[in-house]
mmCIF file of all heavy atoms in Angstrom:
data_model
loop_
_atom_site.group_PDB
_atom_site.id
_atom_site.type_symbol
_atom_site.label_atom_id
_atom_site.label_comp_id
_atom_site.label_asym_id
_atom_site.label_seq_id
_atom_site.Cartn_x
_atom_site.Cartn_y
_atom_site.Cartn_z
ATOM 1 N N ASN A 901 134.661 118.610 77.509
ATOM 2 C CA ASN A 901 135.736 118.066 76.693
ATOM 3 C C ASN A 901 136.021 116.603 77.002
ATOM 4 O O ASN A 901 137.115 116.119 76.760
ATOM 5 C CB ASN A 901 137.011 118.888 76.890
ATOM 6 C CG ASN A 901 136.816 120.317 76.432
ATOM 7 O OD1 ASN A 901 136.059 120.568 75.505
ATOM 8 N ND2 ASN A 901 137.480 121.249 77.089
ATOM 9 N N ALA A 902 135.059 115.911 77.534
ATOM 10 C CA ALA A 902 135.261 114.509 77.883
ATOM 11 C C ALA A 902 135.300 113.673 76.600
ATOM 12 O O ALA A 902 134.577 113.937 75.651
ATOM 13 C CB ALA A 902 134.144 114.016 78.779
ATOM 14 N N LYS A 922 139.782 63.664 49.635
ATOM 15 C CA LYS A 922 140.930 62.845 49.263
ATOM 16 C C LYS A 922 140.558 61.846 48.244
ATOM 17 O O LYS A 922 139.669 61.218 48.005
ATOM 18 C CB LYS A 922 141.510 62.137 50.472
ATOM 19 C CG LYS A 922 142.201 63.121 51.363
ATOM 20 C CD LYS A 922 142.927 62.356 52.416
ATOM 21 C CE LYS A 922 143.622 63.275 53.357
ATOM 22 N NZ LYS A 922 144.375 62.684 54.335
#
Side-chain angles (χ1 to χ4, degrees):
N901 297 328
K922 289 189 181 183

